Each structure stands twice: as C-alpha cells, then as structure tokens.
C-alpha cells in the first residue's frame, strides 16, 4: 500500500491511497457492503456513483458463504466480481453488537451464530486468517469495542485486551495485504493516547479510531476526534470508523482524518431519507406526491437524471424494490460527491466554508 499526501490545509489532508486493486483519493468515504454487496446496487451502479472502495465484513462473511465457495471464486473480489479495493472490518464490533451468549476470553471470543445457533470461536488469528482468505486490500486488527456508557476502569481493561489482540493480529498476518491498527479507549483521551503509543510500535499501514459512534453524545465524540485526529501517525492514512453524517465527516477531515465508512447513506436511502444540497428530504412526505423535480436538481446521479420525486415516492408507496435501488443510487452518489467537494475545498484552503454551510443547514433542521 502506498499513501501520498498531495496537499495540506491546516490539519486537513488531501491524498491518494494505492492498493493492489487500484487507487482512490482521500479524504474518502467507503460505501458499506457488509455481505459483499451494497444492498440493492449492482457493481455498475457503484461504478456510476464513483465508488472506488467498499467495506465488507469478516464477521458476516465468516458465517456465510463457506470457504469452498470463496476458494472456487478466488477470494471475495472474484466472488462478487468487484475489481476495485475492498477493506474488511475484523468482526470485533459485530461479535459484540450482534451475537448472543458472547464470552470474552484472553485468546478470543466464544459466541453463538445468529443464523443457526452454532457455537463459534473468533480470535485475532482467525479474523486475520479470514481476511487474508477473502483477499481484502486493507485488513483491520481484531479488537474489543466498548459500548457507551463505559466507565474508565472497564475502558482500560478492554483497551489492554485489545492491545494484546493487536499483537496477535500483527503476528498472524503472513500476507502483504495492508493491516490497520485500531485505537480504542472510549471517550477518555488519556486512554486513547496509551492505545496509540502501544500500537505505533507495530508500524501498521494505517491507524483507525474505533469505538466511536456507539451512542456517545456528539460533543464527547468530537472531543476525541479533535484531540486524537492529528496525533495519529502523520505519514499513514487515518480512518474514523462508523462516522457519519456530512457535517461529522467535514469536522473530522478538519481534524486530520482521511477515511470514513458508515451505513447512513444506504440505510437512510432505504427509509426514504434522501440527502440534498440544502439538507435532507423524506420522500414519503405528502408534499412530494406530485413533485416533478428530481430529488436534487444539482445532482448528476442516474436517479436524478431520469426520475422525479413523485415517481420515486409512488414506487416506494407501492413497495417496489426499484425505489430502494433508485434512492440508494442517489445517496451513494451524494456521499461520493460530498467527498469530492471536500477534496476540492482542501485544495482551495476553504474547507471552513463547507463546514459553515453544513452547520447552518443543520441549524435550520
Ligand atoms: Zn441524485
């Protein structure tokens, strides 16, 4: 993996990440394709939305399909016919948030499969092995993700376990795939610093802030981002996991973050919440019943070039799956276009204008 910074503007950075399956510009937003698909969208849709990297999940892909199927198709890229980069999350977060009967031990986690109740053991070594088998371009270390609220003693204990697992993850990586470390420590900046300094000795290919966007107040999250953003190694990509809305992303970029992922654009799209240049519209509202304008008249996505709000609302009310697809196309395109605008703003040293614009939109609700 090669990371180059082309331009710095205050703490913000504009750059490029080059990987075996291609390159993408940063700051970048990774569209979430948990099971190896971005719900309702084909690869062509993703290409047309300018998506250059997707995020898939080792936890979900460990449960299904089986290894044989993946081996036959030469890894995840072959299986899903996606020839651009893939980042895989290690499964840590999902084990703790989605599984029943979770028992955490020093060497890993025992839990029951939410699909068939089968007993499963996931360790750092196993997570890395799965991610190597998937052939992901960027792998994440296996860690424990604390929930919110979490007191400082528990956050510290969890942090110690995550550091032990970071060591095991690092040792388990026998591939040339990029491997990112994940800084934990809850909302406690001193714990975050302890985590980072311990992880730095492994010289990971990139560094993520994990364990945020788990229910903490936005002010506390922003404090961690402001404190830690530009403490993460200068020459490595910095990734804020699971965040967020447009304003959250711009705020984090202003604090030195380069990479993002979040289910918001796709999940909200399926619920009729569509991002437009002056905020968000809910297509299910009565007011769009006969609205012949596109979702956003300044948007160049396939949906906005071809269909009206009224038609999309009609499809949604009829429960036609085309509505989900058209709305997802728009939101995915919107987020990629947001990142493009952020990169242009860094180039022009005026990201603060974009931040103020979004802040005013949020105030207006
Ligand atoms: Zn659009």
């Amino acid at each position: 993996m090669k990371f180059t910074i082309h331009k710095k503007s205050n703490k913000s950075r504009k750059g490029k990440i080059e990987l075996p399956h291609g390159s993408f510009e940063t700051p970048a937003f990774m569209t979430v394709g948990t099971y190896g698909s971005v719900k309702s969208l084909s690869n062509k849709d993703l290409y047309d939305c300018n998506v250059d990297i997707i995020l898939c999940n080792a936890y979900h892909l460990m449960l299904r399909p089986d290894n044989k199927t993946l081996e036959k198709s030469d890894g995840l890229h072959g299986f899903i016919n996606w020839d651009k980069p893939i980042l895989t999350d290690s499964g840590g977060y999902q084990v703790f948030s989605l599984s029943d009967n979770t028992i955490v031990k020093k060497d890993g986690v025992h839990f029951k499969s939410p699909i068939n109740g089968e007993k499963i053991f996931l360790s750092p070594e196993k997570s890395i092995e799965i991610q190597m088998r998937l052939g992901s371009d960027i792998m994440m270390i296996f860690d424990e993700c604390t929930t919110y609220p979490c007191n400082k003693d528990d956050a510290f204990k969890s942090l110690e376990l995550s550091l032990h697992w970071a060591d095991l993850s690092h040792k388990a990586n026998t591939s040339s795939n990029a491997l990112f470390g994940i800084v934990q420590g809850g909302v406690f900046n001193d714990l975050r610093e302890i985590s980072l300094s311990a992880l730095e000795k492994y010289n990971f290919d990139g560094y993520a802030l994990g364990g945020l966007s788990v229910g903490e107040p936005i002010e506390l999250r922003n404090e961690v981002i402001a404190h830690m953003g530009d403490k993460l190694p200068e020459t490595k990509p910095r990734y804020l996991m699971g965040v967020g809305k447009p304003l959250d992303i711009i705020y984090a970029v202003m604090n030195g973050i380069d990479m993002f992922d979040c289910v918001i654009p796709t999940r909200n799209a399926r619920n009729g919440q569509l991002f437009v240049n002056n905020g968000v519209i809910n297509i299910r509202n009565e007011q769009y019943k006969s609205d012949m304008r596109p979702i956003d008249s300044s948007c160049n996505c396939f949906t906005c070039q071809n269909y009206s709000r009224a038609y999309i609302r009609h499809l949604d009310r009829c429960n036609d799956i085309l509505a989900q697809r058209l709305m997802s196309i728009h939101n995915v395109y919107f987020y990629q276009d947001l990142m493009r605008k952020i990169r242009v703003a860094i180039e022009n040293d005026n990201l603060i204008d974009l931040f103020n614009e979004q802040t005013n939109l949020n105030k207006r609700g």
Side-chain angles (χ1 to χ4, degrees):
M1 189 193 87
K2 190 178 165 200
F3 176 51
T4 321
I5 297 172
H6 296 136
K7 160 89 184 179
K8 280 176 48 178
S9 176
N10 296 317
K11 290 183 187 177
S12 312
R13 304 118 63 87
K14 178 176 169 286
K16 188 178 187 182
I17 293 177
E18 292 166 74
L19 292 159
H21 290 92
S23 63
F24 59 92
E25 288 187 83
T26 60
F29 182 85
M30 299 180 283
T31 305
V32 176
T34 304
Y35 303 94
S37 83
V38 177
K39 284 195 177 86
S40 83
L41 300 187
S42 71
N43 285 355
K44 184 174 184 310
D45 294 334
L46 296 175
Y47 294 141
D48 291 347
C49 289
N50 304 316
V51 171
D52 286 327
I53 174 168
I54 58 170
L55 178 147
C56 300
N57 198 283
Y59 169 86
H60 293 281
L61 292 164
M62 170 185 74
L63 301 175
R64 56 190 172 190
D66 56 21
N67 290 339
K68 256 191 191 161
T69 310
L70 280 170
E71 269 166 29
K72 265 191 180 172
S73 46
D74 206 15
L76 189 56
H77 283 91
F79 186 52
I80 69 174
N81 193 28
W82 173 254
D83 59 5
K84 291 187 177 191
I86 296 174
L87 178 144
T88 45
D89 196 1
S90 61
Y93 175 78
Q94 284 71 23
V95 167
F96 296 103
S97 59
L98 301 176
S99 304
D100 294 329
N101 302 57
T102 306
I103 300 166
V104 183
K105 295 198 170 160
K106 207 177 171 200
D107 57 348
V109 190
H110 298 263
F111 62 98
K112 275 190 180 171
S113 162
I115 296 168
N116 55 16
E118 188 189 328
K119 283 183 185 169
I120 300 179
F121 174 65
L122 188 56
S123 63
E125 292 90 340
K126 198 170 165 197
S127 171
I128 297 296
E129 186 198 319
I130 294 164
Q131 296 183 73
M132 287 194 292
R133 198 184 304 134
L134 292 170
S136 55
D137 298 81
I138 301 176
M139 311 188 292
M140 302 301 296
I141 62 166
F142 187 72
D143 62 344
E144 188 183 36
C145 183
T146 52
T147 50
Y148 183 85
C150 175
N151 69 47
K152 199 165 179 178
D153 284 348
D154 289 343
F156 184 66
K157 272 185 212 147
S158 170
L159 167 66
E160 281 187 312
L161 181 65
S162 284
L163 290 177
H164 174 57
W165 287 357
D167 187 59
L168 298 179
S169 299
H170 180 257
K171 283 182 184 141
N173 180 20
T174 54
S175 72
S176 57
N177 305 358
L179 179 62
F180 280 21
I182 305 176
V183 175
Q184 290 288 354
V187 293
F188 307 102
N189 282 329
D190 51 345
L191 298 189
R192 291 267 170 192
E193 286 188 33
I194 291 170
S195 173
L196 174 60
S197 78
L199 292 172
E200 273 182 301
K201 70 172 184 238
Y202 296 105
N203 194 26
F204 285 116
D205 298 292
Y207 286 82
L209 290 178
L212 292 172
S213 206
V214 292
E216 73 284 352
I218 192 160
E219 296 77 20
L220 286 180
R221 185 209 303 164
N222 281 348
E223 259 180 56
V224 174
I225 294 167
H227 186 81
M228 294 304 296
D230 72 337
K231 283 194 173 61
L232 300 175
E234 168 78 26
T235 57
K236 305 288 174 76
R238 300 160 170 172
Y239 166 25
L240 175 59
M241 303 179 83
V243 174
K245 292 182 179 162
L247 182 61
D248 303 329
I249 290 176
I250 297 168
Y251 178 83
V253 168
M254 287 169 73
N255 284 287
I257 303 295
D258 307 301
M259 294 167 70
F260 300 87
D261 82 277
C262 191
V263 295
I264 282 179
T266 40
R267 180 185 287 165
N268 287 18
R270 295 194 300 274
N271 290 317
Q273 303 278 338
L274 305 171
F275 290 91
V276 292
N277 71 359
N278 59 353
V280 177
I281 65 166
N282 183 347
I283 202 74
R284 292 176 183 168
N285 287 349
E286 182 76 17
Q287 70 187 98
Y288 305 117
K289 194 176 174 183
S290 305
D291 191 336
M292 291 305 151
R293 294 173 296 171
I295 296 169
D296 185 336
S297 51
S298 66
C299 178
N300 291 316
C301 83
F302 171 78
T303 304
C304 291
Q305 295 303 305
N306 289 281
Y307 301 103
S308 67
R309 292 173 174 185
Y311 178 59
I312 294 162
R313 185 177 181 281
H314 165 73
L315 290 175
D316 183 62
R317 284 184 71 79
C318 298
N319 288 324
D320 189 314
I321 52 172
L322 181 58
Q324 307 259 310
R325 177 167 168 252
L326 295 178
M327 294 193 289
S328 296
I329 286 175
H330 171 77
N331 273 5
V332 168
Y333 185 97
F334 178 93
Y335 261 64
Q336 293 306 320
D337 202 48
L338 169 72
M339 301 317 291
R340 182 190 61 77
K341 286 177 186 162
I342 289 173
R343 293 190 294 266
V344 170
I346 295 172
E347 197 65 52
N348 297 330
D349 294 305
N350 59 7
L351 188 56
I352 188 72
D353 295 343
L354 209 54
F355 177 78
N356 290 336
E357 197 181 288
Q358 279 294 328
T359 307
N360 290 334
L361 286 178
N362 277 22
K363 274 184 198 155
R364 273 177 22 211

